[in-house]
Amino acid sequence: MKQNDLPSLLLLPFPPDPLTRASLSAAYQPSLTAALERVKRPTGAAKLVVAVACPVLHGQYLRSKTLSWPEAQALVAGLYGIISVVCAQLSIGTEMSGGPGSVDTTVILIDHERNKRYTDDFRPAIEPNNTVVVDLATFASAYFPWNCVFQVRSELGLQVYQMYLKFAEGKQTLRQDQLIPVEGGLTMNVKGDPSATPAQTSTYPVVCLGGTFDYLHPGHKLLLTAGALLLQVPRRGDPAPPCQYIIGITGDEMLRNKMFAEYVQPWEERARNVITFLAQLLELSNRGWKDGAQPQIEEKAGDFRATFRDGTVRVECVRIQDAFGPTITVEAIGALVVSGETRSGGEAVNEKRAERGWRTLDVFEVDVLDSEEISDEATKTENFTSKISSTAIRQQKAQATATTKI
C-alpha cells in the first residue's frame, strides 16, 4: 500500500463534560478542520481515523466491561455531525471511496482513563474485552501503519499523544514530518458527583438494523457504530457462539423509484462497503493493515458474511425486500437500532413479533446529525442534511455526468 493511500490518525483528548453538541464543537472543531484540510488530496480519496480517548467503559475486570450506550452514541453522533459540517464548509466529499477531494472519516472510541498509570514492565498487546471498544494499548497494537498522525496542541492532547507513541513503539517508524500538531479547541469540564456513573446498557448476542447504505456516509457510519456498541462479544476462550450483527440492506428492486435511481450502487457494492467500514471497528490484528488485505467475505444464498476477532464477531449483510427484513424471521435478535426516520418501523416490527409470540426487541434510537448546535454560520439543518444524504450524492454524480456530456 502506498504511503498516501494509508489512513491518517487524529488523536483527540478527553471530551468535554457536560457533553453537548456546542461543547463538542468548541473542543474539537478546530482540530478536525485542520486535519481534514491537511489530508484532503486533489488526486484521490483520503482516509482519516478520528480516535477519541475517553473513559467510556466501566468495570474492574477486562472480561466484564460495560458502557452507557446513550452517552457513547451521543459522542459518536456529535463527532460525525462536526465532521459533516466541516466537510460541507470545505467542499470535502464524505462518502466512502468518494474520489478526488473526498475524505473517508471513521470515528473510533478508545477506552482510556486520564490518570491511569502503567508499570515499567507493561508491554502493550491486543487484549480485547467483551465489547467492541478497546483500550489505548490495544488500539496502538492493532491500528497501524499511518500516513500522518495529528496531535492536538494542548496539555491533555500531549498526554494522550505521548502515551499512544509509547504503546505504538516498534509498530511503525514515523518521520518528523508525519507527526503534525494541530490547534485544539476550548474544553470545559464541570464535574458533578465523581462517584456517579451513568446507567449501564445491556449488550446483546444478536443485534440488527437496516438501511440502504448507498454511498456510505457519516449518517450510515453513526448507525453502524451505534449498533456495534450493543454487541455482546464472547470472551476469549468462552465456548459461546459468536455474537451476530445482522444488517438488512435494501435490495436493488426496492430502490428503482428513488431519485436518481440509475446512480444507486448495486447491492453487492453497498454490502461490501458496510463490511469494510465495520472491519475498522471490529478487526484486531497484530499486523495492523500492513498487508492491505480486504475483509474476507463469504457469499451464501446471495447474502454476505464476514467474521472478526478470531471468530467471536460475525457480520451478516442480508437483502431485504420489505419493511421488516430479518427482524421477523430471526427470533434470536434482541436489539434493533433505528434512526428518527425509522422509529415507526421499530414499533411495527415489535407488533409483528408479538403476533408470532416472540419476545419484542429492545429498540435504540440514534441521535440526528444536526448542524444547528454545531455551526457558527447560518446553516439550516435541512440544507446541511441535503448535502450529506445519499440522494444528494447521487444528484452530484448525475450533474457531473451531465456536465461531461456537454
Side-chain angles (χ1 to χ4, degrees), residues 204-237:
Y204 301 82
V206 187
V207 176
C208 184
L209 56 81
T212 61
F213 300 104
D214 190 32
Y215 297 101
L216 199 79
H217 58 63
H220 298 139
K221 294 174 181 179
L222 166 60
L223 190 66
L224 291 166
T225 303
L229 289 170
L230 290 168
L231 288 171
Q232 186 179 99
V233 182
R235 300 176 181 91
R236 181 182 291 174

Side-chain angles (χ1 to χ4, degrees), residues 289-338:
W289 44 79
K290 281 183 177 179
D291 304 325
Q294 292 294 310
Q296 294 298 308
I297 298 175
E298 173 193 357
E299 186 172 354
K300 185 174 182 179
D303 298 334
F304 283 2
R305 298 183 179 187
T307 58
F308 301 99
R309 299 196 186 186
D310 297 324
T312 59
V313 182
R314 185 168 70 204
V315 174
E316 302 179 18
C317 292
V318 302
R319 297 173 198 260
I320 54 176
Q321 308 296 349
D322 55 47
F324 300 100
T327 58
I328 60 171
T329 60
V330 181
E331 185 177 0
I333 295 172
L336 176 67
V337 182
V338 300

Side-chain angles (χ1 to χ4, degrees), residues 231-307:
L231 288 171
Q232 186 179 99
V233 182
R235 300 176 181 91
R236 181 182 291 174
D238 280 2
C243 62
Q244 291 177 264
Y245 195 6
I246 303 175
I247 298 146
I249 302 178
T250 311
D252 294 339
E253 297 79 7
M254 290 185 67
L255 301 177
R256 288 176 178 169
N257 294 325
K258 286 275 188 182
M259 292 180 64
F260 309 103
E262 64 271 29
Y263 293 94
V264 171
Q265 294 174 313
W267 186 92
E268 290 78 6
E269 185 174 0
R270 290 181 279 130
R272 192 170 288 108
N273 285 343
V274 165
I275 291 175
T276 299
F277 169 74
L278 287 173
Q280 298 176 82
L281 305 181
L282 301 175
E283 186 61 300
L284 296 174
S285 168
N286 59 12
R287 292 190 56 79
W289 44 79
K290 281 183 177 179
D291 304 325
Q294 292 294 310
Q296 294 298 308
I297 298 175
E298 173 193 357
E299 186 172 354
K300 185 174 182 179
D303 298 334
F304 283 2
R305 298 183 179 187
T307 58

Side-chain angles (χ1 to χ4, degrees), residues 54-129:
C54 53
V56 67
L57 297 183
H58 298 273
Q60 186 175 358
Y61 302 105
L62 181 67
R63 293 162 59 88
S64 57
K65 295 292 185 179
T66 62
L67 58 78
S68 167
W69 185 86
E71 287 202 343
Q73 72 84 31
L75 176 55
V76 175
L79 284 163
Y80 274 126
I82 298 169
I83 290 164
S84 299
V85 166
V86 171
C87 287
Q89 293 171 345
L90 299 178
S91 299
I92 295 174
T94 59
E95 71 271 23
M96 180 179 285
S97 304
S102 68
V103 180
D104 178 9
T105 307
T106 301
V107 174
I108 295 179
L109 302 184
I110 306 300
D111 184 50
H112 184 62
E113 295 179 14
R114 187 176 309 183
N115 299 317
K116 187 169 184 178
R117 296 290 182 264
Y118 296 87
T119 59
D120 292 338
D121 61 350
F122 176 79
R123 295 292 178 268
I126 294 175
E127 294 289 347
N129 52 56

